[in-house]
Amino acid sequence: MNTDLGDYRKSYEKQELLEKYLSDNPLEVFQKWFHEVDTNFNIGETNAMTISTIGLDGFPKSRVVLLKKFTYEGFIFYTNYESEKGKAIANNPNVCLSFFWAEAERQVIIKGKAEKIAENLSDGYFESRPRGSQLGALVSNQSEIIKNRSVIEKSLKALEEEFEGKDIPRPDFWGGYIVKPVEIEFWQGRPNRLHDRIRYQLNKNFDWIQDRLSP
Ligand SMILES: Cc1cc2nc3c(=O)[nH]c(=O)nc-3n(C[C@H](O)[C@H](O)[C@H](O)COP(=O)(O)O)c2cc1C
Protein backbone atom coordinates (compact mmCIF):
# COMPACT_ATOMS: atom_id res chain seq x y z
CA MET A 1 0.00 0.00 0.00
CA ASN A 2 1.20 3.51 -0.78
CA THR A 3 -1.20 6.32 -0.01
CA ASP A 4 0.40 9.69 -0.48
CA LEU A 5 -1.34 12.49 1.42
CA GLY A 6 1.33 15.08 0.64
CA ASP A 7 -1.08 17.44 -1.08
CA TYR A 8 -3.64 17.41 1.75
CA ARG A 9 -3.17 21.02 2.75
CA LYS A 10 -5.32 23.60 4.49
CA SER A 11 -4.65 27.20 5.38
CA TYR A 12 -5.92 28.22 8.82
CA GLU A 13 -7.42 31.68 8.53
CA LYS A 14 -10.48 31.93 10.72
CA GLN A 15 -9.26 33.38 14.00
CA GLU A 16 -6.33 34.64 16.04
CA LEU A 17 -5.24 34.35 19.66
CA LEU A 18 -3.75 37.59 20.89
CA GLU A 19 -2.59 38.50 24.39
CA LYS A 20 -5.45 40.98 24.87
CA TYR A 21 -7.91 38.05 24.75
CA LEU A 22 -6.20 36.17 27.58
CA SER A 23 -6.94 35.98 31.32
CA ASP A 24 -4.48 35.31 34.13
CA ASN A 25 -6.19 31.98 34.71
CA PRO A 26 -6.16 29.54 31.74
CA LEU A 27 -9.35 27.85 32.95
CA GLU A 28 -11.14 31.09 32.09
CA VAL A 29 -9.60 31.07 28.61
CA PHE A 30 -10.70 27.43 28.24
CA GLN A 31 -14.22 28.36 29.26
CA LYS A 32 -14.35 31.18 26.70
CA TRP A 33 -12.98 28.97 23.94
CA PHE A 34 -15.30 26.07 24.81
CA HIS A 35 -18.41 28.25 24.71
CA GLU A 36 -17.34 30.06 21.53
CA VAL A 37 -16.66 26.79 19.75
CA ASP A 38 -19.85 25.20 21.06
CA THR A 39 -21.99 28.17 20.03
CA ASN A 40 -20.44 29.32 16.77
CA PHE A 41 -19.32 26.09 15.11
CA ASN A 42 -21.18 23.00 14.13
CA ILE A 43 -19.13 20.48 16.09
CA GLY A 44 -20.64 17.08 16.80
CA GLU A 45 -19.27 16.66 20.31
CA THR A 46 -17.42 19.72 21.58
CA ASN A 47 -16.78 17.89 24.85
CA ALA A 48 -15.03 14.92 23.23
CA MET A 49 -11.39 14.93 24.31
CA THR A 50 -8.43 12.64 23.91
CA ILE A 51 -6.84 11.39 27.10
CA SER A 52 -3.37 9.91 26.97
CA THR A 53 -2.04 7.78 29.80
CA ILE A 54 1.26 6.02 30.36
CA GLY A 55 0.40 2.33 30.41
CA LEU A 56 1.78 -0.46 32.56
CA ASP A 57 3.63 -1.59 29.41
CA GLY A 58 5.46 1.76 29.29
CA PHE A 59 3.66 2.93 26.16
CA PRO A 60 1.49 6.03 26.01
CA LYS A 61 -2.07 5.28 24.92
CA SER A 62 -4.68 7.79 23.79
CA ARG A 63 -8.41 7.39 23.50
CA VAL A 64 -11.46 9.66 23.41
CA VAL A 65 -13.66 10.26 26.46
CA LEU A 66 -16.31 12.87 27.18
CA LEU A 67 -15.63 15.87 29.36
CA LYS A 68 -18.58 16.11 31.74
CA LYS A 69 -17.66 19.09 33.88
CA PHE A 70 -14.91 21.65 34.32
CA THR A 71 -14.23 24.05 37.16
CA TYR A 72 -11.26 26.12 38.35
CA GLU A 73 -10.03 22.84 39.89
CA GLY A 74 -9.96 20.75 36.74
CA PHE A 75 -11.62 18.56 34.12
CA ILE A 76 -13.96 15.68 35.01
CA PHE A 77 -14.75 12.57 32.98
CA TYR A 78 -16.27 9.19 33.85
CA THR A 79 -15.04 5.71 33.12
CA ASN A 80 -14.39 2.23 34.44
CA TYR A 81 -11.72 2.38 37.16
CA GLU A 82 -10.52 -1.13 36.22
CA SER A 83 -10.18 -0.39 32.51
CA GLU A 84 -6.77 -0.16 30.86
CA LYS A 85 -6.77 3.61 31.45
CA GLY A 86 -7.91 3.13 35.07
CA LYS A 87 -4.98 0.78 35.75
CA ALA A 88 -2.60 3.16 33.98
CA ILE A 89 -3.76 6.11 36.11
CA ALA A 90 -3.46 4.07 39.33
CA ASN A 91 0.17 3.42 38.39
CA ASN A 92 0.95 6.89 37.04
CA PRO A 93 -1.55 9.75 37.48
CA ASN A 94 0.19 11.99 34.94
CA VAL A 95 -2.08 12.33 31.92
CA CYS A 96 -2.56 14.55 28.91
CA LEU A 97 -5.93 15.75 27.64
CA SER A 98 -6.38 17.28 24.21
CA PHE A 99 -9.16 18.80 22.20
CA PHE A 100 -9.03 19.39 18.45
CA TRP A 101 -11.90 21.55 17.27
CA ALA A 102 -11.19 21.35 13.53
CA GLU A 103 -13.98 23.70 12.44
CA ALA A 104 -12.58 26.44 14.69
CA GLU A 105 -8.94 25.58 13.83
CA ARG A 106 -8.25 25.28 17.55
CA GLN A 107 -6.39 22.81 19.71
CA VAL A 108 -6.03 22.70 23.51
CA ILE A 109 -3.45 20.47 25.22
CA ILE A 110 -3.62 19.95 28.98
CA LYS A 111 -1.07 18.15 31.13
CA GLY A 112 -2.29 17.24 34.58
CA LYS A 113 -2.71 14.74 37.35
CA ALA A 114 -5.78 12.52 37.45
CA GLU A 115 -7.46 11.54 40.69
CA LYS A 116 -10.76 9.86 41.53
CA ILE A 117 -13.54 12.26 42.48
CA ALA A 118 -15.55 11.82 45.71
CA GLU A 119 -17.90 8.83 45.64
CA ASN A 120 -21.00 10.95 46.26
CA LEU A 121 -20.19 12.99 43.12
CA SER A 122 -19.88 9.83 41.04
CA ASP A 123 -23.17 8.60 42.58
CA GLY A 124 -24.89 11.84 41.62
CA TYR A 125 -23.69 11.69 38.02
CA PHE A 126 -24.48 7.95 37.72
CA GLU A 127 -28.05 8.59 38.91
CA SER A 128 -28.47 11.27 36.22
CA ARG A 129 -27.54 8.87 33.40
CA PRO A 130 -30.17 7.13 31.26
CA ARG A 131 -31.02 3.63 32.52
CA GLY A 132 -29.46 2.02 29.44
CA SER A 133 -26.11 3.71 30.14
CA GLN A 134 -26.28 2.68 33.79
CA LEU A 135 -26.82 -0.94 32.81
CA GLY A 136 -24.10 -0.65 30.18
CA ALA A 137 -21.61 0.42 32.86
CA LEU A 138 -22.59 -2.57 34.98
CA VAL A 139 -22.35 -5.04 32.12
CA SER A 140 -18.98 -4.03 30.74
CA ASN A 141 -15.69 -5.17 32.24
CA GLN A 142 -14.16 -2.44 30.14
CA SER A 143 -10.95 -3.40 28.30
CA GLU A 144 -11.24 -7.14 29.16
CA ILE A 145 -11.26 -9.74 26.37
CA ILE A 146 -14.71 -11.23 25.69
CA LYS A 147 -15.47 -14.32 23.59
CA ASN A 148 -18.13 -12.66 21.46
CA ARG A 149 -20.82 -9.97 21.55
CA SER A 150 -23.51 -12.29 22.85
CA VAL A 151 -21.61 -12.47 26.19
CA ILE A 152 -22.49 -8.85 26.96
CA GLU A 153 -25.94 -9.03 25.38
CA LYS A 154 -26.87 -12.00 27.62
CA SER A 155 -25.44 -10.23 30.63
CA LEU A 156 -27.46 -7.09 29.80
CA LYS A 157 -30.66 -9.13 29.53
CA ALA A 158 -30.02 -10.80 32.89
CA LEU A 159 -29.39 -7.45 34.57
CA GLU A 160 -32.48 -5.89 32.98
CA GLU A 161 -34.53 -8.66 34.60
CA GLU A 162 -32.70 -8.44 37.94
CA PHE A 163 -33.25 -4.67 38.22
CA GLU A 164 -36.71 -4.44 36.72
CA GLY A 165 -38.60 -1.73 38.60
CA LYS A 166 -35.58 -1.04 40.83
CA ASP A 167 -32.91 1.66 40.96
CA ILE A 168 -29.58 0.60 39.52
CA PRO A 169 -26.72 1.17 41.99
CA ARG A 170 -23.43 2.63 40.77
CA PRO A 171 -20.85 -0.16 40.72
CA ASP A 172 -17.67 0.54 42.74
CA PHE A 173 -15.57 0.04 39.64
CA TRP A 174 -17.18 2.94 37.76
CA GLY A 175 -16.84 6.65 38.50
CA GLY A 176 -15.23 9.96 37.75
CA TYR A 177 -11.73 11.32 37.56
CA ILE A 178 -10.72 14.92 37.82
CA VAL A 179 -7.64 15.99 35.90
CA LYS A 180 -5.99 18.85 37.79
CA PRO A 181 -3.99 20.82 35.25
CA VAL A 182 -0.34 21.81 35.59
CA GLU A 183 0.02 23.07 32.01
CA ILE A 184 -2.49 24.25 29.42
CA GLU A 185 -1.61 25.21 25.85
CA PHE A 186 -3.98 27.00 23.50
CA TRP A 187 -3.25 26.64 19.77
CA GLN A 188 -4.98 28.73 17.16
CA GLY A 189 -4.25 27.93 13.51
CA ARG A 190 -3.01 30.93 11.49
CA PRO A 191 -1.96 31.48 7.86
CA ASN A 192 1.47 30.32 6.60
CA ARG A 193 1.76 27.89 9.51
CA LEU A 194 2.53 30.83 11.81
CA HIS A 195 0.06 29.68 14.40
CA ASP A 196 -0.63 31.31 17.75
CA ARG A 197 0.47 29.19 20.72
CA ILE A 198 -0.02 30.38 24.28
CA ARG A 199 1.16 28.14 27.13
CA TYR A 200 0.31 28.46 30.81
CA GLN A 201 2.36 26.58 33.42
CA LEU A 202 1.70 26.34 37.13
CA ASN A 203 4.80 27.36 39.12
CA LYS A 204 5.83 26.29 42.65
CA ASN A 205 3.69 29.04 44.19
CA PHE A 206 0.68 27.80 42.22
CA ASP A 207 0.68 30.89 40.01
CA TRP A 208 0.03 30.49 36.31
CA ILE A 209 2.96 31.63 34.15
CA GLN A 210 2.04 32.56 30.59
CA ASP A 211 4.33 32.32 27.55
CA ARG A 212 3.94 32.60 23.79
CA LEU A 213 5.55 29.68 21.97
CA SER A 214 6.96 29.62 18.48
CA PRO A 215 4.69 27.73 16.12
C1 LIG B 1 -16.82 10.09 21.18
C2 LIG B 1 -16.40 9.07 22.20
C3 LIG B 1 -16.73 9.26 23.53
C4 LIG B 1 -16.32 8.33 24.50
N1 LIG B 1 -16.58 8.60 25.80
C5 LIG B 1 -16.12 7.76 26.77
C6 LIG B 1 -16.25 8.10 28.14
O1 LIG B 1 -16.74 9.18 28.52
N2 LIG B 1 -15.78 7.20 29.04
C7 LIG B 1 -15.19 6.03 28.68
O2 LIG B 1 -14.79 5.25 29.55
N3 LIG B 1 -15.00 5.70 27.39
C8 LIG B 1 -15.46 6.55 26.41
N4 LIG B 1 -15.25 6.23 25.09
C9 LIG B 1 -14.58 4.97 24.75
C10 LIG B 1 -13.05 5.13 24.92
O3 LIG B 1 -12.51 5.81 23.80
C11 LIG B 1 -12.32 3.79 25.12
O4 LIG B 1 -12.64 2.89 24.08
C12 LIG B 1 -12.70 3.11 26.44
O5 LIG B 1 -12.75 4.06 27.51
C13 LIG B 1 -11.70 2.01 26.81
O6 LIG B 1 -10.41 2.57 26.87
P1 LIG B 1 -9.19 1.79 27.60
O7 LIG B 1 -9.34 0.34 27.27
O8 LIG B 1 -7.96 2.40 27.02
O9 LIG B 1 -9.32 2.06 29.08
C14 LIG B 1 -15.62 7.16 24.11
C15 LIG B 1 -15.29 6.98 22.76
C16 LIG B 1 -15.66 7.92 21.83
C17 LIG B 1 -15.23 7.73 20.39
Side-chain angles (χ1 to χ4, degrees), residues 45 48 53 61-68 77-80 83-86 142-143 174:
E45 289 184 289
T53 52
K61 182 182 169 186
S62 306
R63 77 292 274 161
V64 174
V65 293
L66 296 178
L67 176 67
K68 286 291 167 175
F77 70 94
Y78 291 87
T79 193
N80 185 311
S83 62
E84 187 175 346
K85 79 180 89 46
Q142 198 177 50
S143 318
W174 191 97

Side-chain angles (χ1 to χ4, degrees), residues 183-195:
E183 181 178 306
I184 304 185
E185 179 186 329
F186 297 92
W187 181 101
Q188 176 69 62
R190 299 291 307 270
N192 305 318
R193 300 291 182 256
L194 295 180
H195 315 300

Side-chain angles (χ1 to χ4, degrees), residues 143-161:
S143 318
E144 296 296 318
I145 293 171
I146 50 175
K147 197 160 169 233
N148 53 43
R149 195 172 167 88
S150 69
V151 173
I152 45 172
E153 281 168 1
K154 276 190 196 142
S155 170
L156 176 64
K157 206 159 179 293
L159 282 170
E160 276 168 349
E161 284 165 18

Side-chain angles (χ1 to χ4, degrees), residues 156-214:
L156 176 64
K157 206 159 179 293
L159 282 170
E160 276 168 349
E161 284 165 18
E162 186 183 336
F163 286 104
E164 203 182 330
K166 297 184 203 151
D167 286 345
I168 301 160
R170 176 180 67 86
D172 290 343
F173 58 76
W174 191 97
Y177 286 101
I178 181 164
V179 175
K180 296 185 172 174
V182 297
E183 181 178 306
I184 304 185
E185 179 186 329
F186 297 92
W187 181 101
Q188 176 69 62
R190 299 291 307 270
N192 305 318
R193 300 291 182 256
L194 295 180
H195 315 300
D196 286 326
R197 296 178 64 193
I198 303 290
R199 183 189 66 192
Y200 290 78
Q201 288 179 310
L202 210 52
N203 73 6
K204 284 189 183 130
N205 301 324
F206 298 99
D207 295 318
W208 286 107
I209 306 302
Q210 182 190 310
D211 291 295
R212 176 172 284 270
L213 304 181
S214 176

Side-chain angles (χ1 to χ4, degrees), residues 9-104:
R9 216 165 264 127
K10 190 180 166 213
S11 180
Y12 302 116
E13 311 200 328
K14 288 187 183 162
Q15 299 182 89
E16 57 189 18
L17 180 58
L18 301 180
E19 277 68 6
K20 65 179 180 201
Y21 179 93
L22 301 170
S23 311
D24 290 342
N25 191 313
L27 278 307
E28 290 171 5
V29 182
F30 181 83
Q31 186 181 44
K32 279 204 279 184
W33 263 28
F34 188 92
H35 288 303
E36 279 176 21
V37 167
D38 209 32
T39 310
N40 303 335
F41 296 90
N42 194 14
I43 291 183
E45 289 184 289
T46 313
N47 63 331
M49 60 184 185
T50 298
I51 176 165
S52 304
T53 52
I54 306 292
L56 302 182
D57 57 4
F59 282 91
K61 182 182 169 186
S62 306
R63 77 292 274 161
V64 174
V65 293
L66 296 178
L67 176 67
K68 286 291 167 175
K69 188 171 185 157
F70 59 94
T71 66
Y72 277 113
E73 232 196 322
F75 302 84
I76 294 179
F77 70 94
Y78 291 87
T79 193
N80 185 311
Y81 289 141
E82 289 166 14
S83 62
E84 187 175 346
K85 79 180 89 46
K87 288 176 180 152
I89 290 169
N91 185 54
N92 182 346
N94 295 347
V95 301
C96 183
L97 305 176
S98 68
F99 295 82
F100 173 43
W101 295 309
E103 295 80 351

